Amino acid sequence: MKTFPQPPDLDAATSVGMSDGETDIGRLEMRVTPLLAALVLASTAIVAPLNSTVAGGIQFGPVENQPKRKPQRKPAPPPPTPAEIAPEPAFEDTAPAARPPARQAAPAAETHTPTQRQSGVMRRVSTKGLPPPPAPRNCKNTGTFSAWMRDFRKEAEELGISRRTISDALDGITLDEGVIRRDRRQGFFSQSFLDFQAKLATNNRVQNGRAQIKRNQATFDRVKKEFGVQASVITGFWALESDFGAGLGNLPILRSLATLAYDCRRGPMFRDELLAALEIIDRGDMRPHEMVGSWAGEIGQTQFLPTRYLEHAVDYDDDGKPDLFKNPTDIIGTTANYMSHLGWRRNEPWLEEVIVPRELPWAEADLSIKHPRSKWAGLGVTRADGSALENDAMPSSLLLPMGRFGPAFLAYQNFDVYLQWNQSLNYAITAAYLATRIDGAPAMRRGRGDIPTLSQDEAKELQRRLVDHGHDVGEIDGIIGAQTRQAVKTMQIKFNLPADSYPTAELLSALRRR
């Protein structure tokens, strides 16, 4: 794709040195969990006042693990530092689940797999399946941290972790109340998609992404051949996760993991992550003092939780071990390896901005519905520049993150990988859009004029009225997540309103009259 030059733009969202601020992006990188096919896809609309939490502990994350619990109105909060984007398991405000894509295998001779322990009984970690749902944010811890730590150390030793590693890693660790506060506080996702992407998909990141591609061209060419993942896709994630290493964070990863493993909200998930971190140390990949990062315990410049590191980190330059903190070759190779595992499809697109006509069967705009690209063309959907779409059978979904009046995209099968990296629709669309910008696409259109939004109080009222009509929207909190959006779409159809899954004052008024 032709590259369109962009002027440098040092945006506040890309500033360095913001590593431990207040915003917990529910982790843009949520711990990716490949979405289960059995889950029903909900509508794709993202509502303006999303006070949402991400599903992935964001890791980022997006973001995947075996059915074992392993290893996504007040003024808008300030832009997050990449280090504040942290993992969070699937939650009500996350994207609807997508079918796990078939793996696109890399050539057998070149496929990399993580190093395995040769001794002990440490169980094999997996990054497939959804983590257990988090407990409510107001859950209360019982028992002391020291008592919990004694039990955990015993478990780690029984699982084959050496006593020396346990001592080196855990001696003297104390509870970090600040980490718990960050995990409970989810502010950044309480923004509309347009506001969210404007803070994250900046011109500065576009320019830096292109510069990284030039700087590491040989490695990007190698992973494109081996894994089929485009350079712009990798650099898009790399930019959002850490600004290419400038926003890694400065907290002890082991202390953060121990705190989150003890805490009532997501203890089982982070207990596994802490065990995986000990295995990383035990096999010699890192030493405890080297494990420094974000409050959510993620490793390296593309922010891998320990379980993801164990399964997908590769020593891509063959210097003895993976280094995701400082080695661009390992960072690029590992990220591509992981995306291949998620099912990235070679030589296929992921997201494309489009223009929709004023009239359309809006109920078809749903991530669970894929049509041949030719059908969307027949319905009057065009490219962003007004030219015709290809008249082919490429499967795609129409994605309207802010309803029929906002930006519009065709989401292709590779977009499912973005939703596995991070189930937050805000994050997934932003990351995918940023990759297209790095490839040369122009800035997106903002839609048709002012887009109506509900206040937080109105969103709560909407949820209460949806519940009165028999819908399960999860917690009534003003967070317009997947369950609420699906209920909105159902009621829009019932009231003969445009069924774009985007909550409006028009729908709220209709509910008040019933």
Side-chain angles (χ1 to χ4, degrees), residues 9-18 79-80 82 199-205 208 243 246:
D9 178 12
L10 296 180
D11 189 287
T14 64
S15 297
V16 180
M18 300 163 55
K199 290 182 173 67
L200 296 179
T202 61
N203 284 335
N204 188 52
R205 283 180 171 151
N208 288 342
D243 270 331

Side-chain angles (χ1 to χ4, degrees), residues 33-85:
T33 59
L35 308 170
L36 301 178
L39 296 179
V40 177
L41 285 176
S43 150
T44 63
I46 296 176
V47 176
L50 290 184
N51 184 5
S52 68
T53 66
V54 250
I58 176 352
Q59 198 191 11
F60 248 196
V63 5
E64 337 159 298
N65 337 358
Q66 189 160 317
K68 167 157 200 71
R69 309 178 290 195
K70 277 277 163 276
Q72 119 89 196
R73 172 163 156 181
K74 296 180 179 180
T81 93
E84 292 176 313
I85 294 169

Side-chain angles (χ1 to χ4, degrees), residues 221-242:
D221 289 346
R222 180 182 168 198
V223 298
K224 176 70 180 301
K225 179 180 179 181
E226 181 174 352
F227 299 107
V229 183
Q230 293 89 329
S232 60
V233 172
I234 296 171
T235 51
F237 281 124
W238 196 356
L240 292 186
E241 296 302 337
S242 73

Side-chain angles (χ1 to χ4, degrees), residues 493-510:
I493 293 172
K494 180 177 180 179
F495 295 155
N496 199 29
L497 297 172
D500 62 2
S501 307
Y502 185 75
T504 61
E506 183 182 21
L507 174 61
L508 182 56
S509 295

